[in-house]
Amino acid sequence: MTGDWRMDRIGAALRGENPTVLRRLEAGFAVIGDVQFLPGYSVLLVDEPGVQRLSDLPKAKRLAFLSDMDQLGEAVERACRRLDPDFRRVNLEILGNTDPFLHAHVWPRFEWEPTELVGKPVWLYPHERWSDERFRLGPQHDVLRDAISSELDRLRSTI
């Protein structure tokens, strides 16, 4: 995947041009991560360009964003549990240290992770994991994309 959409992920999602979008949610976009060294890694992007932090949103929109984050987390959990018997849990994070827009990371964690990393933040993984072509999002992740999308659909149908 290449293109200018990475320079404006939210604008591209709003225009229907962001290829990582899984589903439109109430306050944002559920997207699958650009890297998949932890299969199922997903991100919730706020749907308002220019919003940098959770506190920039009115209270109702904040709660909707947090609800969307919960929903994406549960969808990733369900999909990963079904696809990998070594699934452990999901970590949810709103950091805002690098990208200047509100987003939440949804990291599935697995028993097969290296012992020295399994109980630590994902950000401690070596740089090579983030840039290795083997882990770049591509067609090999279509089953995973479909599984997370289906779980989002199921969860949204029960609301």
Side-chain angles (χ1 to χ4, degrees):
M1 284 184 293
T2 60
D4 293 334
W5 67 269
R6 289 179 196 260
M7 303 307 291
D8 180 14
R9 291 172 186 268
I10 296 167
L14 288 166
R15 293 187 304 274
E17 298 169 359
N18 182 330
T20 64
V21 171
L22 300 169
R23 291 290 182 272
R24 175 74 160 92
L25 302 178
E26 185 178 344
F29 295 92
V31 302
I32 191 162
D34 296 358
V35 295
Q36 291 292 310
F37 61 87
L38 292 173
Y41 166 54
S42 298
V43 179
L44 175 65
L45 301 175
V46 71
D47 63 1
E48 294 185 32
V51 170
Q52 294 186 6
R53 56 191 64 82
L54 191 60
S55 59
D56 288 345
L57 296 172
K59 186 71 161 186
K61 185 84 178 231
R62 268 186 235 175
L63 294 175
F65 184 84
L66 293 171
S67 179
D68 287 351
M69 182 176 75
D70 169 65
Q71 196 174 116
L72 179 56
E74 186 171 350
V76 169
E77 180 177 329
R78 288 179 178 194
C80 290
R81 180 180 288 127
R82 185 165 27 98
L83 295 172
D84 189 332
D86 285 332
F87 170 77
R88 292 181 73 217
R89 67 178 36 92
V90 164
N91 294 156
L92 304 170
E93 301 175 316
I94 298 176
L95 300 171
N97 298 325
T98 304
D99 294 317
F101 51 86
L102 177 61
H103 61 287
H105 299 274
V106 178
W107 288 104
R109 303 303 299 263
F110 301 91
E111 295 295 340
W112 48 256
E113 291 180 62
T115 306
E116 68 277 8
L117 293 170
V118 72
K120 297 205 163 77
V122 169
W123 309 105
L124 296 178
Y125 266 87
H127 176 72
E128 299 77 43
R129 290 285 181 116
W130 301 85
S131 57
D132 190 322
E133 288 294 320
R134 293 179 300 156
F135 303 119
R136 181 167 294 198
L137 181 64
Q140 69 274 27
H141 300 106
D142 286 350
V143 168
L144 192 53
R145 289 175 72 114
D146 291 345
I148 296 168
S149 296
S150 294
E151 291 299 340
L152 281 168
D153 292 343
R154 275 194 219 35
L155 289 166
R156 291 167 65 200
S157 71
T158 62
I159 295 177

